């Protein structure tokens, strides 16, 4: 499997919970990373989204970057269809975590400036970000340095969490073999607060490690321009399969929107339809229908963002119309399990919609895992 130099940038560095053949793991530095392979220009993954290209950083507030650590990097990279025997192994790389994924150290970044340029860098990860002053003293990210190699970047979207304790950059970068987009998220360091329950339940941070949404707020889940009203209804049905498990524990609202930011935005949680994602050999009989991309504040022990990418081209490999596909409800329900905080469950003795065994309903395990997470 031939990878090019930009993938090394991600290799140093999110954890996507994909339900298909996709590589996802944590690096030695603790950074969560994932790589998706896309046919054609990866920017098609965020087609239709409204981008914010105005940086939230200025010469007067740039000091806010101090005391942040890199949490994740999601990479979408241009590549032809993967046509290997391994393409049929839809569980590869998706096993549930076996330990607390939030413990340990991650690279902390420090800030320095020289004239009109600011460097935000970590010697631990051999990684740096250069910001250059533009009109109005706004600082724009224009370069990423990895292991002493400079990569000029175009920022597609800046996002600052409302509490200013997390931020992200969505950037486009290319080299001689293809184009890439990277979603890069940083979280502010604080005193870590994690709660645990029985290790029977697999959560995003590890068995028994409780990391969920803030229960004191109503969680807004958006459907970002579903292809049809019928399909939007199927998405709602899939989401609401969890309603009884979350009753009186976590409140959420669902709305359909036509204007929305890209998945990298930390203040907007959405189900996106993507047309350009193709990785699994069509002859294998498998497809990679969706992936959930969560962002976690490991200090607060909370999910701060999560989005679901629904890959229409992958579903078409099943030779079905999504609006007529009865399995679409539980595909969404499975992804919403990740969205709310559950990891995969591949124990053959445990029945779960979070497995790949064809279970198409919320089981007792799923209900109890969700209730234990939010009680």
């Amino acid at each position: 499997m031939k990878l090019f130099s930009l993938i090394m940038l991600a290799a140093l560095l999110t954890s996507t919970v994909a339900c298909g053949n996709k590589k996802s793991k944590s690096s030695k530095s603790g950074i969560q990373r994932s790589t998706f392979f896309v046919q054609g220009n990866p920017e098609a993954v965020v087609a239709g989204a409204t981008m914010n290209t105005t940086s939230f950083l200025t010469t007067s507030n740039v000091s806010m970057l101090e005391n942040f650590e890199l949490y994740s990097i999601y990479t979408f990279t241009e590549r032809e269809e993967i046509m290997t025997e391994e393409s049929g192994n839809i569980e590869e790389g998706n096993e549930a975590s076996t330990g607390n994924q939030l413990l340990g150290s991650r690279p902390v970044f420090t800030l320095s400036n020289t004239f009109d340029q600011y460097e935000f860098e970590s010697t631990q990860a051999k990684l740096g970000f250069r910001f250059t002053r533009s009109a109005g003293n706004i600082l724009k990210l224009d370069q990423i340095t990895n292991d002493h190699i400079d990569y000029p970047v175009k920022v597609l979207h800046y996002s600052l969490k409302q509490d200013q304790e997390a931020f992200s950059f969505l950037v486009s970068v290319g080299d001689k073999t293809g184009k890439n987009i990277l979603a890069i998220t940083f979280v502010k360091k604080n005193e870590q607060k994690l709660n645990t329950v029985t290790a029977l339940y697999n959560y995003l941070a590890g068995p028994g490690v409780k990391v969920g949404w803030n229960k004191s707020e109503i969680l807004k889940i958006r459907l970002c321009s579903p292809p049809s009203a019928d399909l939007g209804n199927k998405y709602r049905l899939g989401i609401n399969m969890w309603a009884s498990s979350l009753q009186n524990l976590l409140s959420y609202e669902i709305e359909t929107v036509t204007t929305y930011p890209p998945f990298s935005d930390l203040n907007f949680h959405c189900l996106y339809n993507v047309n350009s994602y193709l990785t699994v050999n069509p002859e294998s009989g498998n497809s990679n229908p969706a992936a959930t991309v969560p962002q976690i504040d490991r200090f607060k022990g909370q999910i701060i963002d999560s989005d679901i990418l629904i890959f229409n081209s992958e579903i078409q490999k099943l030779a079905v119309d999504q609006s007529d596909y009865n399995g679409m409800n539980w595909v969404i329900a499975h992804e919403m399990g990740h969205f709310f905080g559950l990891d995969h469950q591949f124990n053959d003795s445990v029945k779960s919609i979070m497995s790949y065994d064809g279970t198409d309903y919320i089981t007792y395990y799923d209900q109890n895992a969700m209730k234990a997470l939010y009680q």
Side-chain angles (χ1 to χ4, degrees):
M1 201 178 282
K2 184 179 179 182
L3 305 183
F4 51 88
S5 60
L6 254 299
I7 298 302
M8 294 183 66
L9 176 60
L12 275 181
L13 310 173
T14 325
S15 174
T16 343
V17 187
C19 303
N21 185 25
K22 182 219 49 70
K23 303 296 185 182
S24 175
K25 57 184 178 179
S26 181
S27 66
K28 291 181 179 179
S29 62
I31 304 168
Q32 300 300 303
R33 54 186 171 84
S34 293
T35 300
F36 295 84
F37 298 103
V38 181
Q39 281 193 328
N41 189 342
E43 289 189 32
V45 172
V46 292
T50 300
M51 303 297 183
N52 173 31
T53 56
T54 302
S55 172
F56 55 83
L57 291 170
T58 67
T59 54
S60 61
N61 72 5
V62 67
S63 60
M64 67 166 286
L65 294 182
E66 293 287 0
N67 206 36
F68 277 78
E69 65 175 26
L70 179 61
Y71 174 74
S72 65
I73 291 190
Y74 298 101
T75 303
F76 289 79
T77 185
E78 184 176 14
R79 181 169 177 171
E80 292 302 311
E81 183 86 1
I82 298 175
M83 300 290 284
T84 66
E85 293 181 3
E86 289 77 13
S87 296
N89 180 7
I90 63 173
E91 294 186 4
E92 181 182 357
N94 294 318
E95 297 82 0
S97 54
T98 57
N100 186 341
Q101 303 299 298
L102 301 188
L103 295 180
S105 62
R106 284 170 170 78
V108 179
F109 284 69
T110 57
L111 183 69
S112 61
N113 71 292
T114 304
F115 300 107
D116 288 339
Q117 292 182 346
Y118 290 77
E119 301 289 341
F120 183 57
E121 56 192 351
S122 169
T123 56
Q124 296 165 274
K126 297 182 180 179
L127 184 66
F129 299 81
R130 187 184 72 187
F131 299 88
T132 301
R133 185 171 68 87
S134 61
N137 291 324
I138 293 175
L139 297 178
K140 293 186 175 182
L141 175 63
D142 61 11
Q143 179 180 291
I144 296 177
T145 300
N146 178 48
D147 200 17
H148 307 296
I149 301 175
D150 297 333
Y151 298 95
V153 299
K154 177 181 73 172
V155 178
L156 304 176
H157 189 75
Y158 293 93
S159 177
L160 176 65
K161 191 70 176 172
Q162 290 174 346
D163 62 8
Q164 299 192 4
E165 295 197 346
F167 60 86
S168 71
F169 307 119
L170 181 67
V171 303
S172 174
V173 58
D175 71 1
K176 62 182 180 181
T177 57
K179 297 179 180 179
N180 313 263
I181 62 171
L182 288 77
I184 308 166
T185 299
F186 296 84
V187 175
K188 188 172 184 177
K189 291 192 66 176
N190 287 291
E191 180 183 355
Q192 192 166 57
K193 299 176 182 178
L194 293 176
N195 297 314
T196 60
V197 293
T198 173
L200 170 66
Y201 304 127
N202 286 336
Y203 298 130
L204 293 180
V209 183
K210 296 176 62 172
V211 175
W213 293 92
N214 185 348
K215 296 186 294 183
S216 66
E217 299 176 354
I218 297 176
L219 177 60
K220 295 186 181 298
I221 304 170
R222 276 92 172 196
L223 310 182
C224 293
S225 292
S228 68
D230 286 344
L231 201 52
N233 288 334
K234 282 187 175 288
Y235 294 173
R236 288 175 180 269
L237 287 172
I239 296 169
N240 286 330
M241 285 174 68
W242 291 101
S244 62
S245 301
L246 292 168
Q247 190 172 14
N248 301 320
L249 298 174
L250 178 69
S251 298
Y252 66 84
E253 297 175 351
I254 308 172
E255 64 175 333
T256 299
V257 296
T258 56
T259 302
Y260 49 86
F263 71 92
S264 63
D265 193 277
L266 300 178
N267 298 301
F268 206 91
H269 326 305
C270 209
L271 279 70
Y272 297 88
N273 288 272
V274 178
N275 293 316
S276 62
Y277 182 60
L278 296 166
T279 59
V280 184
N281 181 350
E283 298 177 0
S284 71
N286 293 317
S287 73
N288 190 5
T292 304
V293 285
Q295 302 286 2
I296 292 173
D297 184 328
R298 71 188 186 105
F299 303 102
K300 294 180 179 179
Q302 289 182 355
I303 299 171
I304 57 174
D305 182 39
S306 193
D307 298 277
I308 295 174
L309 306 178
I310 302 164
F311 302 120
N312 300 326
S313 298
E314 287 296 306
I315 296 172
Q316 289 170 7
K317 291 178 183 176
L318 302 175
V320 297
D321 181 342
Q322 284 193 57
S323 60
D324 295 329
Y325 179 33
N326 291 330
M328 202 64 217
N329 296 2
W330 66 264
V331 167
I332 297 300
H334 176 103
E335 297 305 326
M336 287 305 302
H338 294 316
F339 182 99
F340 288 127
L342 303 189
D343 202 349
H344 287 114
Q345 173 54 265
F346 292 147
N347 185 334
D348 292 338
S349 65
V350 177
K351 206 74 172 171
S352 172
I353 199 169
M354 304 311 297
S355 71
Y356 288 163
D357 63 4
T359 300
D360 59 359
Y361 60 94
I362 306 297
T363 69
Y364 287 122
Y365 165 86
D366 300 323
Q367 293 174 9
N368 292 333
M370 197 67 81
K371 288 177 180 177
L373 177 57
Y374 285 102
Q375 281 176 343

